[in-house]
Amino acid sequence: MHKDGPLLILAGAGAGKTRTISYRILHLIKNGVAPENILAVTFTNKAANEMKERVSKLLKKDFISNISFEEEPFIKTFHSLGVYILRENFKELNISKYFSILDKNDSQKIIKEIIISLDLDPKQIEPKKILGVISKQKGNFITPFDYESEPRSGSDFLSKIISDVWIKYEERLNKEKSLDFDDLLLKTATLLKEKKDILERYQKKWKYIHIDEYQDTNKVQYKIAKLLSGKNKNICVVGDEDQLIYAWRGASIRNILNFEKDFSKSQTILLEENYRSTQNILAAANKVIKKNSLRKDKNLFTKNNAGEKIDLYSAYDEKDEANFIALTAQDLIENQKIPAQEIAVLYRTNFQSRNLEEAFLNVGVPYQVLGTKFFDRKEIKDIISYIKTSLNSENLIDFKRVVNTPARGIGKVTLAKIFADKEDELSSTIQLKIKNFRSLLIKIKEIALIKEPSILIKFIIQESGLGDKLKSGTEEDLERLSNMKELVSLALKYDKMPIGEGIEKLLEDVALMTDQDKMEKKTNAVKLMTVHASKGLEFDFVFIAGLEDELFPSKMYDKSDSNQEEEERRLFYVALTRARKKLFLTYTSMRTIFGSRRTNTISEFITDIDDNLIEDVSDNHYTNSSEGSEKIEYLEW
């Protein structure tokens, strides 16, 4: 019901954050605010699409359905908002309207090339780590020139290398008219800060601003929100500091804790009723998170029943643990008739999935590992690269990827001469091949600007030779061809957009896709994923595996750093609150990690939970572990 001025909504897990923002948008429109004056920003495409659907249904229900596409509330992720602003103002930034968005793999390739060009060894100076530092600095609203001018000790060799690599990296991006993932935010914030007329245009456009998952904002996202809301002061943020699990990626808990200081005359509302979980699950979650000091006190409650106790299973080793989880999931599916997609297995780190996958295969229970990425498949990336390099001829990464895909007899030596502007030194045969390839790119661009995306993709498959090459190949080749055809089907939804905009949106969605966006909704399979990937999701039955000291909580965090300790606890809190009906916690006495077998201590997180909420089921289950006899001996001892 709140309308004007800053508003902070502190919403606990399962308290209905998306519903709250959706109803607030409806209320604003019913009270005279034009829909096109409303902006809502969230973090994943999944969350943005869910909010769009809810708002659309609410407006139709209230007979406010005569809104055109241009008049709808503007609901985007932070990164897609950045793309929108940058494309509208591409001339100001001296970039192409069709600038390429590099994924992390592309960025790492460029950084590796730069490291080698500086006569450094990429095995010692890892491109991934260099990119990680650059990414975090950009998230902190720092440019390469800010970083270069920072005072350092003369012995800070690595920082000097990062600075040199970063400057060359930016030069390469500028030359290729490309932006990386972090530029979408950094350049947007810089543009709004430096160009007052552009800022005022968007302040006039979006008079009511909503930010979902505000606890996950970093410094540059905070800057964008502050700038856009600076004139009207109508900013509503929704979040839960107990679910901040991305500090390692630059998210600052201070943004939500200091909201009342940053935005004067703000109001704060607590949403403490949980509509998701049983009382026992919430009691465990409340007890765990109360140990954190960097939080505003709130206590989740529910009108749901108490529910079952939390099952605790002490496994001999990781095989025993995985077998217990797979057999229990099998029992839930076959005997209790629980749909497989209502079961999730969460773990702290990716390496834990291997034994789990093996156990699910052995038992015959369908499973899906979150993060199986359709758009990361080679054949799909090839088609996308054809489109990107046709629209942006300066984009060397994508040009290099497809100039010899399928094979055209254009090798590394030829490429080196092309990039060195020495094409005239090539043989007439090779020059003709290059000319034909460039002619193909021109045709692709022409079709991209006048035809629907699905027609464009069909043209690329046929005219590039990719389709012909795969048609007569192996079974694996035929599967790749099927994936290409699936891309045509996926593109149909973009065909409904105005010509030109559809292909822009397709490329944007591919570039900004997250792990959650890639999860197939209709797959009736048990979901396996890291706790980080589970944020925002919910399931009836949840297993949390590997609850051992130095695994969860991770040994990677500095135990003398209370902030890192609290983040690990928040991560466990997120894991607990994914469950609606039942939780299973497992840990092992022995685990092999990176080839070394070690004895484990039970995680402190388990001992944080009151005993009356937990039932130890270790003696009630028998698994197929090859170490079964060893386990019995261990338990007796």
Side-chain angles (χ1 to χ4, degrees):
M1 305 302 287
H2 175 278
K3 186 183 177 187
D4 295 317
L7 176 67
L8 168 64
I9 301 173
L10 290 173
K17 292 191 286 291
T18 306
R19 177 186 172 89
T20 300
I21 294 180
S22 302
Y23 270 90
R24 175 179 159 83
I25 290 172
L26 174 68
H27 177 72
L28 289 172
I29 294 170
K30 287 171 76 173
N31 281 271
V33 177
E36 65 267 27
N37 291 151
I38 297 171
L39 170 68
V41 187
T42 186
F43 276 80
T44 66
N45 289 325
K46 178 179 177 292
N49 290 333
E50 186 182 339
M51 195 181 295
K52 279 180 193 172
E53 287 170 15
R54 288 203 188 196
V55 169
S56 179
K57 284 178 183 175
L58 288 173
L59 293 176
K60 285 175 184 173
K61 189 178 176 183
D62 274 79
F63 306 105
I64 312 170
S65 56
N66 58 338
I67 299 172
S68 70
F69 179 75
E70 293 78 14
E71 294 172 323
E72 289 179 353
F74 201 80
I75 301 172
K76 293 277 187 180
T77 65
F78 262 109
H79 288 89
S80 58
L81 173 66
V83 172
Y84 174 84
I85 291 173
L86 295 175
R87 287 211 197 280
E88 277 207 332
N89 300 280
F90 69 95
K91 290 179 182 175
E92 291 279 351
L93 294 156
N94 195 29
I95 57 174
S96 164
K97 184 181 180 182
Y98 301 106
F99 61 81
S100 300
I101 304 170
L102 301 185
D103 63 22
K104 279 196 166 64
N105 287 334
D106 291 338
S107 293
Q108 281 181 36
K109 283 177 188 173
I110 292 174
I111 285 175
K112 183 178 179 180
E113 289 171 10
I114 292 168
I115 288 169
I116 292 169
S117 75
L118 293 171
D119 292 328
L120 297 168
D121 184 354
K123 290 180 181 175
Q124 292 184 327
I125 311 293
E126 293 180 48
K128 186 177 181 180
K129 288 185 179 177
I130 300 287
L131 181 62
V133 173
I134 292 171
S135 176
K136 195 161 186 179
Q137 295 298 327
K138 286 185 177 183
N140 285 330
F141 204 29
I142 291 171
T143 69
F145 305 104
D146 297 329
Y147 187 79
E148 184 186 33
S149 60
E150 281 181 4
R152 297 188 185 89
S153 65
S155 60
D156 197 349
F157 177 66
L158 183 58
S159 293
K160 178 68 171 67
I161 289 172
I162 292 169
S163 179
D164 292 345
V165 170
W166 190 357
I167 288 170
K168 287 187 176 293
Y169 175 61
E170 293 302 315
E171 288 171 356
R172 178 82 175 266
L173 293 186
N174 290 336
K175 182 182 177 185
E176 298 191 15
K177 294 184 174 61
S178 299
L179 302 180
D180 68 17
F181 205 61
D182 302 293
D183 286 331
L184 302 178
L185 300 179
L186 178 60
K187 290 192 182 294
T188 299
T190 304
L191 179 74
L192 295 174
K193 181 185 174 188
E194 294 178 354
K195 303 288 183 180
K196 300 299 178 190
D197 56 328
I198 293 175
L199 174 61
E200 285 172 11
R201 175 156 45 95
Y202 290 115
Q203 287 175 337
K204 187 177 179 181
K205 179 182 177 73
W206 298 313
K207 294 175 181 174
Y208 288 84
I209 294 169
H210 305 75
I211 311 288
D212 192 15
E213 303 287 5
Y214 191 66
Q215 78 281 348
D216 288 337
T217 52
N218 60 20
K219 193 169 181 179
V220 75
Q221 288 161 333
Y222 165 83
K223 191 73 178 174
I224 291 169
K226 186 89 170 164
L227 286 164
L228 289 175
S229 62
K231 182 180 180 182
N232 302 299
K233 312 292 184 190
N234 298 323
I235 181 169
C236 166
V237 305
V238 185
D240 180 9
E241 75 282 7
D242 291 336
Q243 294 187 70
L244 190 156
I245 58 174
Y246 294 116
W248 54 276
R249 217 161 60 184
S252 172
I253 198 167
R254 298 293 173 191
N255 291 348
I256 194 164
L257 294 180
N258 292 345
F259 182 86
E260 290 134 318
K261 292 179 185 175
D262 291 339
F263 297 90
S264 60
K265 299 180 182 177
S266 65
Q267 290 189 40
T268 300
I269 293 172
L270 292 180
L271 296 185
E272 295 176 292
E273 182 172 0
N274 175 289
Y275 298 92
R276 177 189 300 161
S277 307
T278 65
Q279 186 56 54
N280 281 342
I281 291 169
L282 290 188
N286 283 332
K287 186 69 188 297
V288 166
I289 205 63
K290 276 188 183 300
K291 288 184 77 172
N292 277 8
S293 57
L294 278 174
R295 65 187 298 266
K296 301 204 175 192
D297 193 41
K298 58 182 177 297
N299 197 58
L300 287 184
F301 69 92
T302 185
K303 291 173 186 172
N304 296 337
N305 59 30
E308 294 184 51
K309 286 188 175 185
I310 298 167
D311 281 3
L312 175 66
Y313 183 74
S314 169
Y316 171 74
D317 63 6
E318 61 269 28
K319 283 194 172 70
D320 181 14
E321 176 187 54
N323 286 333
F324 164 75
I325 292 171
L327 288 167
T328 306
Q330 182 184 50
D331 177 64
L332 290 170
I333 294 164
E334 293 180 2
N335 299 325
Q336 299 184 44
K337 306 306 176 189
I338 305 299
Q341 72 254 30
E342 287 302 337
I343 303 170
V345 185
L346 311 183
Y347 35 83
R348 180 64 180 82
T349 54
N350 280 305
F351 79 82
Q352 290 172 259
S353 72
R354 188 185 66 79
N355 284 295
L356 289 163
E357 287 190 68
E358 194 175 301
F360 274 90
L361 280 170
N362 289 339
V363 174
V365 172
Y367 70 91
Q368 178 191 2
V369 181
L370 189 65
T372 305
K373 304 172 184 178
F374 178 74
F375 289 108
D376 275 356
R377 289 170 178 155
K378 181 187 181 301
E379 60 275 16
I380 303 303
K381 290 193 82 168
D382 289 343
I383 291 175
I384 298 300
S385 285
Y386 267 105
I387 300 171
K388 285 165 68 179
T389 195
S390 74
L391 294 173
N392 175 9
S393 59
E394 307 296 325
N395 176 357
L396 301 185
I397 282 280
D398 288 298
F399 181 91
K400 197 184 296 184
R401 180 183 183 91
V402 294
V403 69
N404 201 43
T405 305
R408 298 183 176 91
I410 300 170
K412 289 182 180 179
V413 175
T414 302
L415 277 174
K417 290 198 173 181
I418 292 171
F419 297 152
D421 293 325
K422 294 180 180 177
E423 279 187 53
D424 56 330
E425 296 179 10
L426 297 169
S427 70
S428 57
T429 306
I430 294 292
Q431 285 188 43
L432 180 60
K433 288 178 179 178
I434 298 293
K435 184 182 176 183
N436 290 339
F437 176 70
R438 288 205 171 108
S439 296
L440 173 63
L441 295 181
I442 290 167
K443 285 180 190 172
I444 291 171
K445 182 174 182 177
E446 287 171 355
I447 292 172
L449 298 178
I450 61 171
K451 295 285 186 181
E452 291 82 1
S454 64
I455 293 173
L456 172 66
I457 293 166
K458 283 181 185 174
F459 177 83
I460 293 169
I461 294 170
Q462 291 163 5
E463 298 300 318
S464 67
L466 286 171
D468 290 337
K469 178 177 180 262
L470 296 174
K471 268 180 198 170
S472 54
T474 62
E475 192 174 324
E476 187 180 338
D477 288 336
L478 293 174
E479 186 181 338
R480 286 180 176 174
L481 186 59
S482 296
N483 288 334
M484 289 182 177
K485 290 177 180 176
E486 178 62 24
L487 183 62
V488 175
S489 301
L490 184 147
L492 290 173
K493 71 175 182 178
Y494 299 93
D495 288 357
K496 298 170 186 174
M497 298 179 182
I499 296 295
E501 285 183 27
I503 199 63
E504 283 180 28
K505 186 70 174 99
L506 171 62
L507 292 177
E508 177 189 324
D509 285 352
V510 170
L512 305 186
M513 200 71 75
T514 67
D515 278 351
Q516 283 191 11
D517 300 322
K518 290 154 189 156
M519 185 167 69
E520 298 168 32
K521 293 179 184 176
K522 295 178 183 176
T523 305
N524 188 22
V526 177
K527 303 297 186 283
L528 311 183
M529 68 190 85
T530 64
V531 182
H532 280 100
S534 75
K535 188 162 175 287
L537 304 177
E538 55 187 72
F539 304 89
D540 284 346
F541 296 82
V542 172
F543 295 83
I544 308 175
L547 282 164
E548 299 131 33
D549 188 37
E550 296 197 346
L551 183 55
F552 198 6
S554 170
K555 69 174 182 179
M556 301 301 286
Y557 86 83
D558 181 355
K559 292 196 175 182
S560 64
D561 185 338
S562 61
N563 290 339
Q564 290 185 38
E565 180 186 345
E566 293 202 0
E567 175 139 354
E568 283 293 306
R569 193 171 289 112
R570 289 194 294 268
L571 193 58
F572 183 57
Y573 173 82
V574 165
L576 291 172
T577 53
R578 297 312 93 201
R580 297 189 195 104
K581 295 179 180 177
K582 176 80 176 178
L583 267 170
F584 302 85
L585 309 180
T586 66
Y587 69 97
T588 70
S589 302
M590 307 283 289
R591 187 179 294 273
T592 303
I593 297 181
F594 303 123
S596 299
R597 197 156 177 80
R598 73 178 193 196
T599 306
N600 297 317
T601 306
I602 189 170
S603 170
E604 65 184 78
F605 295 151
I606 293 177
T607 56
D608 284 343
I609 300 171
D610 290 340
D611 290 343
N612 65 311
L613 299 174
I614 291 180
E615 182 176 355
D616 193 325
V617 297
S618 305
D619 294 334
N620 305 342
H621 290 265
Y622 299 91
T623 72
N624 297 328
S625 172
S626 59
E627 268 100 0
S629 59
E630 288 183 60
K631 183 193 169 196
I632 292 166
E633 183 183 334
Y634 169 79
L635 288 172
E636 286 174 353
W637 175 82

